[in-house]
Amino acid sequence: MPDVDVCGLVCPEPVLLVKRRIDALGEGAITVLADSEAARENIKRLATGKGWAVRIEEQDDKYLLTLTK
Amino acid sequence: MFNVKGKGLVTLTGLTIGALAIALMVAGNPKNMGLCIACFLRDIAGALGLHSAAPVQYVRPEIIGLVLGAFAAALATGSYRAMGGSSALTRFVLGFIGMIGFLVFLGCPLRMLLRMSAGDLNAWLALPGFAAGIAAGVWFINRGFTLGRATRQNNTHGYVFPTMMAALLALLVLGFPLLRASTEGPGSMHAPLLLSLGAGLLVGALAQRTRFCLVGPIRDLIMFRDSYLMFGMAGLFLAALAGNLIVGNFSAGFAGQPVAHTDGLWNFLGMALAGLCFTLVAGCPLRQLVSAAEGNTDSAVTILGVLVGAAFAHNFGLAASPAGASVNGQYAVVAGFILTLGIGFALSGARVLAKGRVTESA
C-alpha cells in the first residue's frame, strides 16, 4: 500500500494530500500512487521544491512516486 | 527547485495564447474576444439552437481545435486516460452556475485578461472578484471539500467528447444548413475557419503539455505559494498587452469598452461566483476542455453544464449586455452563490472529515 493514494483525484487535491503528509513527517520516506501525468508532475514539483528527492516508477498505467529526505 | 524548462514552456504557452488572441481579433474575431472560451461555448450553444439570441450563434472552430489538439497531444505522449465517476451531476451544476457568472461579467478569465490588456478597467475590477471567488474555493478545499475520486474507465468513454467535437467540425465544414450562424453582432464576426482551427489546435496541444489553466495560477499561489501556472497567466497578459498596443486596440477607461458594461459590483460578483465554481471543479473552462480531451469524462460533463448554462443565460435574460447586468442576472448570481455555497458546505467540513475523507488513503 502506498502512503498516499491520489488516484482519481484532480488538482489541487493530490498536491494538498501529499503536502500534508510531507509537512507532518518533516523527513523520511513517502510513497505516493498517482494515475495522471498532471498529478505526477505537480507532486514532483512540490516535493523537489521542499528539498525531497523524487523517484518515479511506472506501474501499469499508474505512477509510484517515492519521496525521500 | 526552480524548474526553468517547465516554467519556460508554460510561459511560452501563455505568450502564444495572448498573441494568437490578438491575431484572431485582427483576422475577424470580436474585439477583446480573440479566444474567449466562455463566449465561444456560448456561441456554439447558439449555433446548435440551444438558445435563440441571434447575435451570438456560431460554431467556433477555436474550441474544436483546442479539444482535438489536446486530444492528439495526450495520445501522442501517452497521457490519455479515460476517467470518470466523480460527481458528474454536481460538476454539471457548477459549470452551469459558473457560466452564468461569466455571462454577467461578459467573459471567462481568458477574456478578462484580454480586456485588461486592452485597457478595459471594468475587467480590472473583475479580477479581485475572480481572486476572491478562488480564495473562497480554496477555503472549502482546505476544509476537506472534495467531489470524490474518479475511476479508470474503458478508453472508449474518453473518445466520446473529442468525437462530438470532430462531428461538429464536419457539420461546419460541410455547411450543414441547420447550424445557426449570426448575421450581425459578435457571432457574425469571425476569423477564417482554418486560422481559427489551427490556433485552437496549437493552443490545445500546448495547454495539454503544460496543464495551462487560469484558475490554477491564483489557486496555487494561495494554497501552495506555487507560481508555476502564474507564469502562463502573466505571459498571456503581456503578449496580449503588447499585441493590443501594436494593433492600436489599447484604450484605458470604463465606458464604451467593446462587449462590456460598467456595472462594477456585478462585474466583481459575476467573476467571484465563477471563480468559486471553477475552483470547486478544479480548473477554468479552457482547462476543462483540455482535461475532457485527455479522457476525463467528468470534465466533459462540466462543459455540457457550461453549454446549458449559456443557453439558460440567454433564454431567460440572465446574461448582461453593454447596457449593464440585467435584473434577472443579478437574481441568478445571488441564487448561484446560495447554491454553490450550499454545495461547498455540504461537501466539506468536520462532518465530511469525520466520516473519513474519501481522498485520504486507508
Side-chain angles (χ1 to χ4, degrees):
Chain A
M1 276 300 282
D3 297 316
V4 188
D5 179 0
V6 300
C7 292
L9 297 175
V10 288
C11 337
E13 279 184 81
V15 178
L16 181 65
L17 295 180
V18 174
K19 181 175 181 292
R20 286 188 174 158
R21 191 61 66 110
I22 281 180
D23 290 346
L25 208 61
E27 55 180 43
I30 303 170
T31 53
V32 183
L33 191 67
D35 63 353
S36 74
E37 193 184 52
R40 184 194 75 194
E41 289 304 308
N42 289 335
I43 291 166
K44 188 174 134 194
R45 197 171 63 251
L46 168 89
T48 51
K50 287 181 168 285
W52 289 64
V54 180
R55 202 181 70 232
I56 301 171
E57 295 164 64
E58 258 195 86
Q59 296 188 339
D60 299 326
D61 54 0
K62 295 183 178 177
Y63 308 99
L64 183 68
L65 292 86
T66 309
L67 320 182
T68 48
K69 184 177 180 180
Chain B
M1 184 158 185
F2 186 86
N3 186 345
V4 178
K5 188 186 161 213
K7 281 184 177 169
L9 194 57
V10 78
T11 309
L12 178 71
T13 302
L15 289 169
T16 305
I17 297 175
L20 283 174
I22 302 303
L24 288 166
M25 177 182 76
V26 171
N29 280 2
K31 276 198 166 185
N32 302 353
M33 209 188 276
L35 200 54
C36 170
I37 306 301
C39 312
F40 287 4
L41 286 168
R42 183 261 330 266
D43 292 349
I44 289 177
L48 296 173
L50 298 177
H51 67 70
S52 16
V56 284
Q57 300 175 331
Y58 179 58
V59 174
R60 296 279 180 186
E62 289 88 349
I63 299 288
I64 298 171
L66 207 149
V67 171
L68 298 182
F71 180 57
L75 284 179
T77 57
S79 48
Y80 173 89
R81 274 171 182 72
M83 307 279 296
S86 162
S87 313
L89 182 60
T90 307
R91 289 178 191 273
F92 179 97
V93 169
L94 290 169
F96 179 105
I97 297 173
M99 184 57 162
I100 290 171
F102 283 147
L103 292 177
V104 166
F105 161 67
L106 292 173
C108 64
L110 209 167
R111 179 157 197 257
M112 179 180 74
L113 291 170
L114 295 177
R115 286 173 57 176
M116 286 166 60
S117 72
D120 180 342
L121 299 181
N122 304 297
W124 282 94
L125 220 75
L127 175 66
F130 187 53
I134 293 173
V138 167
W139 184 80
F140 280 118
I141 293 168
N142 278 330
R143 292 178 81 248
F145 176 88
T146 181
L147 291 172
R149 286 177 198 271
T151 50
R152 190 80 166 80
Q153 297 180 328
N154 184 302
N155 271 343
T156 308
H157 297 295
Y159 298 145
V160 173
F161 188 70
T163 304
M164 284 160 66
M165 288 291 145
L168 207 51
L169 179 63
L171 294 178
L172 179 69
V173 171
L174 297 172
F176 185 61
L178 295 181
L179 282 182
R180 301 183 188 186
S182 302
T183 51
E184 55 174 13
S188 69
M189 304 166 72
H190 52 81
L193 191 150
L194 280 180
L195 182 64
S196 297
L197 185 67
L201 286 167
L202 179 60
V203 170
L206 283 171
Q208 197 277 329
R209 295 318 301 147
T210 56
R211 304 176 302 285
F212 185 90
C213 177
L214 292 170
V215 161
I218 298 172
R219 177 199 66 202
D220 290 352
L221 212 56
I222 297 173
M223 285 190 84
F224 308 119
R225 305 273 174 271
D226 177 11
S227 63
Y228 167 76
L229 288 170
M230 190 55 86
F231 277 75
M233 190 169 181
L236 196 167
F237 174 77
L238 291 176
L241 177 65
N244 278 321
L245 289 171
I246 291 168
V247 304
N249 186 48
F250 185 90
S251 152
F254 284 101
Q257 296 288 350
V259 201
H261 63 76
T262 56
D263 236 333
L265 175 67
W266 295 99
N267 280 327
F268 181 96
L269 289 176
M271 279 312 261
L273 177 61
L276 172 59
C277 289
F278 284 94
T279 303
L280 297 184
V281 298
C284 72
L286 188 154
R287 178 66 199 154
Q288 298 295 330
L289 285 169
V290 170
S291 172
E294 290 171 336
N296 188 319
T297 55
D298 296 322
S299 292
V301 173
T302 307
I303 292 296
L304 298 182
V306 168
L307 285 167
V308 175
F312 272 61
H314 283 282
N315 287 340
F316 299 105
L318 314 179
S321 71
S326 68
V327 175
N328 290 3
Q330 296 175 12
Y331 279 122
V333 167
V334 173
F337 268 115
I338 293 170
L339 282 167
T340 308
L341 292 173
I343 290 171
F345 280 111
L347 296 175
S348 65
R351 198 174 50 82
V352 171
L353 287 171
K355 272 189 173 175
R357 188 165 178 241
V358 292
T359 53
E360 291 286 4
S361 62

